[in-house]
Structures are given as C-alpha cells and as structure tokens.
Amino acid sequence: MRPPPGPADTAGKQSAFGEAGYLVLPGLLPGPLLDRLLPEVDRWVDEGLRARSIECSVDPAANGLPPLLELEQEAHGELLAFPPLMDVLARLMGGPFAFHHLHSDRHDAQGAGKPWHHDYEPNSGADRSLLMVHALHYLGGLDETMGSLVVLPGSHREPAGKDALAHLGTAELPGEAVIAGLPPGSTVLINSALFHARRPAPGGNGRPRYFVDASYCQTGARWRPVKPYWRHMLARARELDLGRGRWPDLFDERHFTEYAGTA
Ligand SMILES: [Fe+2]
C-alpha cells in the first residue's frame, strides 16, 4: 500500500491522488464521532431503514419517499461535511464541488465480495476532466478478517464502462494495490473512475465491516443523480444546514440533471 503523504503535504497529496487515483487517510475520523456513527449504522441496517431506502430507489412510483435518509441521522449528517474531510476534498477538487450521495451499510464478515468496477457517473458536458470523488469510510477500520479494498492505481485515466472488468470478479490483477490494514475511522478517497473491488477474506469469520461511502462532484457540468428522490435529499441537507454555511454549492440542485433511472 502506498504510504499516505503527511497532512501538510498538500501538493504531494494532489499529485499522488492525480497519479494513483486514491489517497488513504488513516484514522481521519475521531473516536467521539465514531461512537455516534456506529449505533446509527446498526439502526439503519437492523430496523430495515436501509432496505426501505433501496425499495424507494428501485420503485419510486410505488414506494414514494423513504421514511428516513442516511444524512438525517445526526452523526451521518456530520460525517457528510466533516470539516477535515471537506478541506482535503476542496484541495483535491481545486474548486467548488457538490454532494452526490451517501450510503451506509454493515457488511457481514462472511459476505461476498464486490467485483471490480468503478463508480464514475456521467455529466451533461461529457467532461471527464471534472472530478468525482468517493470517500470510503471504514468506521471500524479494516483488518485481514474483514476482507480488503483493492484498487488498480492509474486506472481512472482510461475511459471504460463501470463494469468493464466485472468478468474478472475480485481476482488479483497485475499492478493492484491491496488496502487491508487500517485503524478505526479511516477514510480512503478514490477518484470515482478508479477501478476497485471488495475482496472477501479467506474464511471470513471476523468482525463485520462498518462502511459508509459518500461522493462529491466538481461543479462545471450537471451530474446524473442516482436516487429518484435526490431533490428531497438535497433539500433536507440544506434544511439541516449540514454545510454550516461554508459550502454554497454543496447541496445546490443546479449541479444535477433530472433522474433517469439507474445506469
Ligand atoms: Fe464502488
């Protein structure tokens, strides 16, 4: 795994991120925030709120709005615009950016992996120079019993379909980087166009993996939303003032196209 640059090394961070397409921020999230996030994830999963939000995404006509959004949970809302995260994002983006979506989940230790894929969404200008960044938060960290995140450094620079490598499953690829040992509260920022996979742990009998991912996109074109209720989501984020008045573009509808289903 490539060692992350030091916190003051802004130029180093930008160039490492531009070149490799990812940046590891070990222990970015403080303990008190994690202590509030973990029970929110448990509730989100155990009370069926996650399942309900998926139903509403799949069939909005039948299911309407979800009863609760991830970002309406207090600690999740705080995580979305956590100031140290936003500061790094602002430097990587080099300009204003908008919030795209937030997902929260708890993966069983025995769970299957996720094949190689990327998550870059199209924008109205078909402008691939505009950055989309996913923040992958590993609330309980990552160890060898939880499976690993594998990335293909540099792969974000070649245009490809999201599932162009899916036929390879989670197989080891030449040049890949394995991210398997992270302390609690670690975040991995990836260029959303970077190919990555979740490789299951052999045996897989460890602790569950608490995983929250949030994505952000550089302004300059209109981005494709992934949730049919995206306007409601942005409106609730504005009402809750999750950006604390600091990020005027973060929840602005003008950065999005109409919802057109899943890709
Ligand atoms: Fe992904």
Side-chain angles (χ1 to χ4, degrees):
M1 186 174 83
R2 175 189 291 259
D9 186 10
T10 299
K13 271 185 180 150
Q14 282 172 325
S15 94
F17 185 81
E19 189 185 316
Y22 72 103
L23 182 67
V24 182
L25 303 169
L28 176 74
L29 310 174
L33 178 59
L34 295 175
D35 290 344
R36 292 164 52 227
L37 278 165
L38 291 172
E40 286 188 0
V41 177
D42 284 334
R43 176 190 177 209
W44 184 251
V45 174
D46 294 335
E47 295 186 10
L49 294 161
R50 178 173 185 276
R52 186 76 188 124
S53 84
I54 293 170
E55 283 169 7
C56 295
S57 290
V58 171
D59 190 354
N63 296 309
L65 293 176
L68 190 70
L69 303 173
E70 290 94 332
L71 59 75
E72 290 179 300
Q73 301 181 100
E74 195 177 280
H76 278 71
E78 213 170 300
L79 175 64
L80 191 164
F82 181 55
L85 169 68
M86 299 296 278
D87 289 342
V88 178
L89 282 172
R91 288 197 291 269
L92 295 181
M93 295 279 191
F97 56 95
F99 165 70
H100 192 271
H101 70 267
L102 176 72
H103 288 143
S104 179
D105 201 2
R106 187 186 62 208
H107 301 145
D108 285 343
Q110 288 85 8
K114 185 166 184 181
W116 287 102
H117 69 284
H118 75 70
D119 295 304
Y120 190 79
E121 296 291 340
N123 62 60
S124 60
D127 183 352
R128 280 184 49 88
S129 74
L130 291 177
L131 271 178
M132 181 177 191
V133 175
H134 272 61
L136 312 179
H137 301 292
Y138 296 93
L139 306 184
L142 264 184
D143 65 35
E144 69 282 358
T145 69
M146 294 174 174
S148 49
L149 168 68
V150 283
V151 300
L152 200 53
S155 58
H156 59 298
R157 287 183 255 154
E158 295 297 324
K162 282 183 172 182
D163 297 321
L165 300 181
H167 61 287
L168 300 171
T170 61
E172 188 175 334
L173 298 184
E176 71 173 29
V178 180
I179 301 168
L182 292 175
S186 293
T187 299
V188 181
L189 298 180
I190 62 171
N191 182 313
S192 306
L194 185 78
F195 276 99
H196 57 285
R198 180 166 73 233
R199 185 169 294 152
N205 56 359
R207 295 179 290 133
R209 181 158 84 161
Y210 284 83
F211 178 68
V212 177
D213 76 273
S215 73
Y216 306 84
C217 14
Q218 196 175 358
T219 62
R222 295 167 69 223
W223 293 83
R224 191 183 76 92
V226 289
K227 293 179 188 282
Y229 49 85
W230 64 276
R231 279 201 167 85
H232 171 65
M233 183 184 73
L234 295 180
R236 287 297 293 140
R238 290 193 301 269
E239 284 164 17
L240 294 166
D241 192 24
L242 298 183
R244 309 267 171 101
R246 203 181 146 199
W247 309 98
D249 288 284
L250 196 59
F251 306 116
D252 193 327
E253 289 181 8
R254 72 192 168 96
H255 301 304
F256 296 92
T257 61
E258 287 305 317
Y259 178 73
T262 51

